[in-house]
Amino acid sequence: MGIFSTESREQEFWNWFSTNEKAIFTFENDQEKVLDTISDNLSKYREGLVFEISQISDGISADGISELFPDVEALSQAAPNFDRWVIIPFRPRMNDYAKFNLEYSGKDLDPSKIWIYSRIEEGYFDLIVYHPEYSEEEREIFVSASYILLDMALGEFYVVRGIRYIDHQRVPENPIEIGLKPFSELRAIFDAYKNGRKNG
């Protein structure tokens, strides 16, 4: 062992954050520069991590990539206590998620028009998300947008770690008749499954 201890990668990031906390807290004064700097320093820690920032809170996300989850957890756990910040690992659930219209890549996704089908098979939760304007040609757009909506409903951690299979399709003419549920019911359905696993 050397005489001098070296900082961990997590400590290096948080030391930088602490040094620049004032500029970050007032990021709206020079938003593009500050956000780019945060992104650059986060990438130095681990390429692929992203963040969401607002006054009073700062969130670190793996952007739905399971392999990055340990890095998010390690960085969040190493965060010091800040007077003006709460560091949140992974995108959290959003209150009233089903009332939030999402504009994504030129699409206006209204959760009230989205339907779901879920099943529990061999102890795993599977899900199909149905969009009224879904098409195979624009599948990538709807898949990416769906994951944002799912993060808002369940939280990023459980979307990645709690759901085994997710598919995306167009809403059929008779969603109720074939057993589909409104997107607004997803949280309750998933939480019942999750709580059942804990108690089972």
Side-chain angles (χ1 to χ4, degrees):
M1 294 180 63
I3 297 175
F4 302 103
S5 62
T6 58
E7 291 183 337
S8 68
R9 294 185 304 123
E10 289 81 15
Q11 289 172 323
E12 289 179 0
F13 176 84
W14 290 119
N15 285 342
W16 169 84
F17 188 96
S18 296
T19 301
N20 295 275
E21 181 190 358
K22 182 177 180 180
I24 296 170
F25 187 76
T26 57
F27 73 97
E28 292 178 343
N29 293 339
D30 194 358
Q31 184 167 319
E32 184 175 352
K33 180 181 178 180
V34 173
L35 297 184
D36 284 347
T37 303
I38 297 172
S39 181
D40 289 343
N41 279 271
L42 196 56
S43 293
K44 290 178 184 177
Y45 169 73
R46 181 66 157 93
E47 190 71 35
L49 295 187
V50 297
F51 66 94
E52 296 177 3
I53 187 171
S54 64
Q55 288 193 355
I56 308 303
S57 67
D58 190 10
I60 304 167
S61 167
D63 208 20
I65 302 172
S66 181
E67 291 79 6
L68 299 180
F69 274 38
D71 296 287
V72 172
E73 291 168 335
L75 188 59
S76 299
Q77 289 169 4
N81 292 323
F82 293 107
D83 292 334
R84 298 188 290 188
W85 299 97
V86 176
I87 308 302
I88 302 173
F90 309 110
R91 293 191 185 102
R93 294 180 169 195
M94 176 183 288
N95 293 332
D96 297 324
Y97 72 94
K99 298 179 181 178
F100 181 85
N101 277 39
L102 174 65
E103 293 184 7
Y104 185 88
S105 194
K107 301 291 183 184
D108 184 12
L109 288 88
D110 182 352
S112 69
K113 299 178 181 178
I114 296 174
W115 295 78
I116 60 166
Y117 171 79
S118 64
R119 71 178 182 186
I120 300 172
E121 185 176 78
E122 300 176 348
Y124 294 98
F125 191 91
D126 298 330
L127 180 70
I128 301 176
V129 183
Y130 293 86
H131 296 277
E133 298 180 357
Y134 175 86
S135 68
E136 285 296 324
E137 293 76 17
E138 296 182 303
R139 178 178 175 82
E140 189 172 323
I141 294 175
F142 284 97
V143 169
S144 297
S146 291
Y147 274 97
I148 295 174
L149 293 172
L150 291 173
D151 285 351
M152 293 191 301
L154 306 179
E156 179 184 9
F157 182 88
Y158 283 110
V159 172
V160 175
R161 293 288 177 85
I163 304 178
R164 177 179 65 173
Y165 170 86
I166 302 176
D167 194 13
H168 311 266
Q169 298 182 21
R170 190 180 184 89
V171 176
E173 293 183 3
N174 53 345
I176 296 177
E177 293 179 20
I178 64 173
L180 304 190
K181 302 290 186 181
F183 183 73
S184 60
E185 296 183 19
L186 173 59
R187 180 177 292 177
I189 294 170
F190 180 82
D191 284 354
Y193 155 77
K194 182 179 65 174
N195 294 333
R197 289 194 67 183
K198 288 180 180 179
N199 300 327

